[in-house]
Protein backbone atom coordinates (compact mmCIF):
# COMPACT_ATOMS: atom_id res chain seq x y z
CA UNK A 1 0.00 0.00 0.00
CA UNK A 2 1.30 3.43 -0.97
CA UNK A 3 2.23 5.63 1.96
CA UNK A 4 2.72 9.38 1.90
CA UNK A 5 6.33 10.37 2.49
CA UNK A 6 7.00 13.55 4.47
CA UNK A 7 10.41 14.97 5.34
CA UNK A 8 12.00 17.95 7.02
CA UNK A 9 15.29 18.95 8.64
CA UNK A 10 13.98 17.79 12.02
CA UNK A 11 10.76 18.27 13.96
CA UNK A 12 9.47 21.32 12.09
CA UNK A 13 7.56 19.29 9.53
CA UNK A 14 5.41 17.75 12.25
CA UNK A 15 3.29 20.92 12.01
CA UNK A 16 2.62 20.11 8.35
CA UNK A 17 2.02 16.44 9.17
CA UNK A 18 -0.84 17.36 11.51
CA UNK A 19 -2.62 19.18 8.67
CA UNK A 20 -2.01 16.22 6.35
CA UNK A 21 -3.49 13.76 8.84
CA UNK A 22 -6.65 15.84 9.15
CA UNK A 23 -7.04 16.18 5.38
CA UNK A 24 -6.28 12.50 4.66
CA UNK A 25 -7.61 10.48 7.63
CA UNK A 26 -7.58 7.15 5.76
CA UNK A 27 -3.97 7.33 4.55
CA UNK A 28 -0.72 6.31 6.27
CA UNK A 29 2.52 8.27 6.45
CA UNK A 30 6.27 7.91 6.81
CA UNK A 31 7.78 10.99 8.47
CA UNK A 32 11.53 11.44 8.01
CA UNK A 33 13.01 13.93 10.51
CA UNK A 34 16.54 14.67 9.35
CA UNK A 35 17.84 16.17 12.60
CA UNK A 36 21.36 15.01 11.77
CA UNK A 37 21.67 17.58 8.99
CA UNK A 38 19.78 20.41 10.69
CA UNK A 39 19.90 23.28 9.86
CA UNK A 40 19.46 22.99 6.10
CA UNK A 41 19.88 26.74 5.65
CA UNK A 42 23.62 26.53 6.30
CA UNK A 43 24.25 23.91 3.61
CA UNK A 44 25.35 24.52 0.01
CA UNK A 45 22.98 23.62 -2.81
CA UNK A 46 25.16 20.63 -3.69
CA UNK A 47 25.07 19.37 -0.10
CA UNK A 48 21.30 19.75 0.02
CA UNK A 49 20.88 17.97 -3.31
CA UNK A 50 22.78 14.98 -1.90
CA UNK A 51 20.94 15.06 1.44
CA UNK A 52 17.46 15.31 -0.04
CA UNK A 53 18.24 12.74 -2.74
CA UNK A 54 19.23 10.22 -0.07
CA UNK A 55 15.95 10.86 1.75
CA UNK A 56 13.93 10.49 -1.45
CA UNK A 57 15.77 7.26 -2.27
CA UNK A 58 14.81 5.89 1.13
CA UNK A 59 11.16 6.98 0.95
CA UNK A 60 10.68 5.79 -2.63
CA UNK A 61 12.30 2.51 -1.64
CA UNK A 62 9.56 2.20 0.99
CA UNK A 63 6.91 2.61 -1.69
CA UNK A 64 6.16 6.34 -1.39
CA UNK A 65 4.94 7.67 -4.73
CA UNK A 66 4.13 11.10 -3.35
CA UNK A 67 6.52 13.02 -1.10
CA UNK A 68 5.79 16.20 0.83
CA UNK A 69 8.81 18.43 1.39
CA UNK A 70 7.73 19.84 4.77
CA UNK A 71 10.54 22.39 4.78
CA UNK A 72 10.56 25.84 3.20
CA UNK A 73 14.34 25.86 2.69
CA UNK A 74 14.43 22.44 1.01
CA UNK A 75 11.47 23.43 -1.16
CA UNK A 76 12.96 26.70 -2.36
CA UNK A 77 16.35 25.19 -3.11
CA UNK A 78 15.71 21.56 -4.06
CA UNK A 79 12.23 20.89 -5.41
CA UNK A 80 13.06 21.65 -9.07
CA UNK A 81 16.16 19.46 -8.84
CA UNK A 82 14.20 16.59 -7.25
CA UNK A 83 11.37 16.80 -9.77
CA UNK A 84 13.87 16.53 -12.62
CA UNK A 85 15.76 13.67 -10.98
CA UNK A 86 12.67 11.68 -9.93
CA UNK A 87 9.96 12.33 -12.57
CA UNK A 88 8.00 9.28 -11.40
CA UNK A 89 7.42 10.80 -7.95
CA UNK A 90 4.89 13.52 -7.14
CA UNK A 91 6.50 16.23 -4.99
CA UNK A 92 4.56 18.75 -2.91
CA UNK A 93 6.50 21.74 -1.60
CA UNK A 94 6.00 24.08 1.33
CA UNK A 95 6.03 27.83 0.79
CA UNK A 96 5.57 30.83 3.10
CA UNK A 97 1.88 31.76 3.34
CA UNK A 98 2.29 35.06 1.49
CA UNK A 99 -0.89 34.52 -0.53
CA UNK A 100 -2.84 33.88 2.70
CA UNK A 101 -1.60 37.24 3.99
CA UNK A 102 -2.73 38.89 0.76
CA UNK A 103 -6.17 37.32 0.87
CA UNK A 104 -6.54 38.47 4.48
CA UNK A 105 -6.01 42.10 3.45
CA UNK A 106 -3.52 42.78 6.22
CA UNK A 107 -1.73 46.12 6.28
CA UNK A 108 1.67 45.37 7.82
CA UNK A 109 3.03 41.84 7.45
CA UNK A 110 6.21 40.29 8.79
CA UNK A 111 7.57 37.29 6.91
CA UNK A 112 9.74 35.28 9.29
CA UNK A 113 11.91 32.67 7.58
CA UNK A 114 15.38 31.19 7.42
CA UNK A 115 18.00 33.34 5.67
CA UNK A 116 18.06 30.84 2.78
CA UNK A 117 14.30 31.19 2.24
CA UNK A 118 14.39 34.99 2.52
CA UNK A 119 17.10 35.12 -0.15
CA UNK A 120 15.43 32.60 -2.44
CA UNK A 121 14.13 33.43 -5.89
CA UNK A 122 10.98 31.44 -5.13
CA UNK A 123 9.96 33.79 -2.30
CA UNK A 124 10.60 36.83 -4.49
CA UNK A 125 8.35 35.32 -7.17
CA UNK A 126 5.64 34.77 -4.55
CA UNK A 127 5.83 38.38 -3.45
CA UNK A 128 5.92 39.73 -7.00
CA UNK A 129 2.92 37.61 -7.99
CA UNK A 130 0.92 39.09 -5.11
CA UNK A 131 2.40 42.59 -4.89
CA UNK A 132 -0.81 44.28 -6.07
CA UNK A 133 -2.57 42.96 -2.95
CA UNK A 134 0.30 43.51 -0.54
CA UNK A 135 0.68 46.58 1.60
CA UNK A 136 3.78 46.77 3.79
CA UNK A 137 5.81 43.56 3.88
CA UNK A 138 8.93 43.12 5.97
CA UNK A 139 11.20 40.15 5.21
CA UNK A 140 13.00 38.99 8.35
CA UNK A 141 15.84 36.41 8.17
CA UNK A 142 15.70 34.59 11.51
CA UNK A 143 19.28 33.45 12.02
CA UNK A 144 19.43 30.39 14.25
CA UNK A 145 15.75 30.26 15.19
CA UNK A 146 14.94 26.92 13.56
CA UNK A 147 17.96 25.34 15.20
CA UNK A 148 17.02 26.81 18.61
CA UNK A 149 13.57 25.24 18.24
CA UNK A 150 15.07 21.91 17.18
CA UNK A 151 17.36 21.96 20.23
CA UNK A 152 14.56 23.19 22.54
CA UNK A 153 16.76 26.15 23.50
CA UNK A 154 13.99 28.35 24.91
CA UNK A 155 16.37 31.08 26.05
CA UNK A 156 17.75 31.55 22.55
CA UNK A 157 14.24 31.40 21.04
CA UNK A 158 13.12 34.23 23.30
CA UNK A 159 16.22 36.31 22.53
CA UNK A 160 15.58 36.06 18.79
CA UNK A 161 11.87 36.87 18.99
CA UNK A 162 12.48 39.75 21.41
CA UNK A 163 15.09 41.22 19.05
CA UNK A 164 12.65 41.04 16.15
CA UNK A 165 9.94 42.64 18.28
CA UNK A 166 12.21 45.53 19.25
CA UNK A 167 12.89 46.22 15.58
CA UNK A 168 9.24 46.17 14.50
CA UNK A 169 7.20 47.15 17.58
CA UNK A 170 6.35 50.54 16.05
CA UNK A 171 5.35 49.10 12.67
CA UNK A 172 1.75 48.21 13.67
CA UNK A 173 2.20 44.62 12.53
CA UNK A 174 -1.14 42.84 12.06
CA UNK A 175 0.04 39.57 10.45
CA UNK A 176 3.10 37.35 10.69
CA UNK A 177 3.85 34.71 8.08
CA UNK A 178 5.60 31.76 9.72
CA UNK A 179 7.87 30.94 6.80
CA UNK A 180 9.56 27.91 8.34
CA UNK A 181 7.78 24.76 9.48
CA UNK A 182 9.62 24.93 12.81
CA UNK A 183 8.08 28.29 13.73
CA UNK A 184 4.49 27.16 14.47
CA UNK A 185 5.98 25.24 17.42
CA UNK A 186 6.56 28.61 19.15
CA UNK A 187 3.30 30.38 18.33
CA UNK A 188 2.70 31.11 22.01
CA UNK A 189 6.09 32.79 22.34
CA UNK A 190 5.54 34.91 19.24
CA UNK A 191 2.08 35.92 20.45
CA UNK A 192 3.58 36.91 23.80
CA UNK A 193 5.42 39.73 22.03
CA UNK A 194 3.16 40.40 19.04
CA UNK A 195 -0.23 40.53 20.72
CA UNK A 196 -3.43 40.34 18.65
CA UNK A 197 -1.45 39.57 15.49
CA UNK A 198 -2.58 36.89 13.02
CA UNK A 199 -0.04 34.06 12.72
CA UNK A 200 -0.15 32.45 9.28
CA UNK A 201 1.49 29.22 8.17
CA UNK A 202 1.22 27.22 4.98
CA UNK A 203 0.42 23.81 6.48
CA UNK A 204 -3.27 23.77 5.61
CA UNK A 205 -2.55 24.78 2.01
CA UNK A 206 0.06 22.03 1.70
CA UNK A 207 -2.47 19.47 2.91
CA UNK A 208 -5.09 20.65 0.42
CA UNK A 209 -2.60 20.49 -2.46
CA UNK A 210 -1.42 17.02 -1.40
CA UNK A 211 -4.97 15.67 -1.41
CA UNK A 212 -5.63 17.31 -4.78
CA UNK A 213 -2.52 15.79 -6.36
CA UNK A 214 -3.22 12.36 -4.86
CA UNK A 215 -6.69 12.41 -6.40
CA UNK A 216 -5.29 13.62 -9.72
CA UNK A 217 -2.68 10.84 -9.87
CA UNK A 218 -4.88 8.07 -8.50
CA UNK A 219 -2.89 7.66 -5.28
CA UNK A 220 -5.77 7.78 -2.78
CA UNK A 221 -6.03 4.39 -1.07
CA UNK A 222 -8.63 4.94 1.68
CA UNK A 223 -7.15 1.84 3.31
CA UNK A 224 -4.97 3.38 5.98
CA UNK A 225 -5.52 4.18 9.64
CA UNK A 226 -3.74 7.56 9.83
CA UNK A 227 -0.68 5.72 11.10
CA UNK A 228 2.67 7.54 11.13
CA UNK A 229 6.01 5.73 10.99
CA UNK A 230 8.69 8.01 12.41
CA UNK A 231 12.26 7.96 11.09
CA UNK A 232 14.69 10.32 12.83
CA UNK A 233 18.36 10.78 12.06
CA UNK A 234 20.69 11.87 14.86
Amino acid sequence: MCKIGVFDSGIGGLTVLEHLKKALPKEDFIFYADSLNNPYGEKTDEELFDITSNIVDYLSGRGCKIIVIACNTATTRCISYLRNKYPEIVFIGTEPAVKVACDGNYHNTLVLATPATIQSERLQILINDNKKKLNNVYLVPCFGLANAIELEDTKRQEEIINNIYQLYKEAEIDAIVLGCTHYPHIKDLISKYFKNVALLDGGEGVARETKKQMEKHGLITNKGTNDVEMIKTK
Side-chain angles (χ1 to χ4, degrees):
M1 184 175 68
C2 173
K3 292 186 177 182
I4 302 168
V6 186
F7 77 86
D8 182 35
S9 60
I11 63 169
L14 291 173
T15 60
V16 175
L17 180 64
E18 287 307 307
H19 288 288
L20 289 166
K21 291 179 67 179
K22 290 177 183 177
L24 296 155
K26 294 184 179 180
E27 305 298 326
D28 292 330
F29 303 85
I30 300 176
F31 183 85
Y32 193 108
D34 188 23
S35 299
L36 177 65
N37 291 300
N38 177 276
Y40 278 4
E42 297 177 6
K43 302 287 190 296
T44 65
D45 284 351
E46 289 71 23
E47 286 173 324
L48 277 184
F49 293 161
D50 286 342
I51 289 167
T52 56
S53 292
N54 287 336
I55 295 171
V56 172
D57 287 341
Y58 174 82
L59 292 174
S60 63
R62 295 290 309 280
C64 297
K65 297 178 181 178
I66 184 165
I67 295 176
V68 178
I69 305 174
C71 172
N72 290 272
T73 299
T75 297
T76 55
R77 294 171 63 185
C78 300
I79 195 167
S80 295
Y81 170 85
L82 294 173
R83 283 172 171 163
N84 287 330
K85 184 173 182 178
Y86 303 94
E88 73 282 5
I89 297 174
V90 179
F91 289 97
I92 308 296
T94 303
E95 296 179 328
V98 172
K99 188 176 186 304
V100 178
C102 294
D103 294 343
N105 196 31
Y106 297 104
H107 298 290
N108 299 291
T109 301
L110 283 185
V111 178
L112 307 183
T114 66
T117 297
I118 292 294
Q119 295 166 7
S120 69
E121 180 182 359
R122 198 175 185 91
L123 178 58
Q124 294 305 318
I125 291 171
L126 266 178
I127 291 173
N128 289 335
D129 286 348
N130 292 282
K131 62 184 178 182
K132 290 182 179 179
K133 296 180 182 179
L134 288 170
N135 291 302
N136 296 318
V137 178
Y138 306 94
L139 303 181
V140 184
C142 301
F143 296 91
L145 183 56
N147 198 42
I149 295 168
E150 186 73 22
L151 297 175
E152 299 181 358
D153 185 345
T154 55
K155 181 179 179 181
R156 182 61 181 146
Q157 293 166 24
E158 184 134 16
E159 287 175 353
I160 294 170
I161 297 303
N162 179 47
N163 288 339
I164 294 169
Y165 174 72
Q166 295 305 323
L167 288 172
Y168 295 98
K169 63 183 179 182
E170 305 298 333
E172 298 183 354
I173 300 299
D174 54 359
I176 296 178
V177 173
L178 305 177
C180 170
T181 55
H182 279 74
Y183 299 171
H185 287 287
I186 59 166
K187 279 185 175 182
D188 290 345
L189 174 60
I190 296 171
S191 294
K192 172 184 170 182
Y193 287 90
F194 293 92
K195 295 179 173 59
N196 302 315
V197 171
L199 303 182
L200 313 173
D201 73 78
E204 187 174 346
V206 172
R208 285 197 304 269
E209 181 64 17
T210 302
K211 184 176 182 180
K212 176 182 174 181
Q213 291 301 321
M214 289 184 72
E215 291 171 342
K216 177 181 177 180
H217 293 276
L219 297 175
I220 295 286
T221 69
N222 283 324
K223 295 179 181 179
T225 59
N226 228 213
D227 179 65
V228 178
E229 180 183 348
M230 297 290 297
I231 308 295
K232 186 172 183 177
T233 62
K234 295 181 180 179

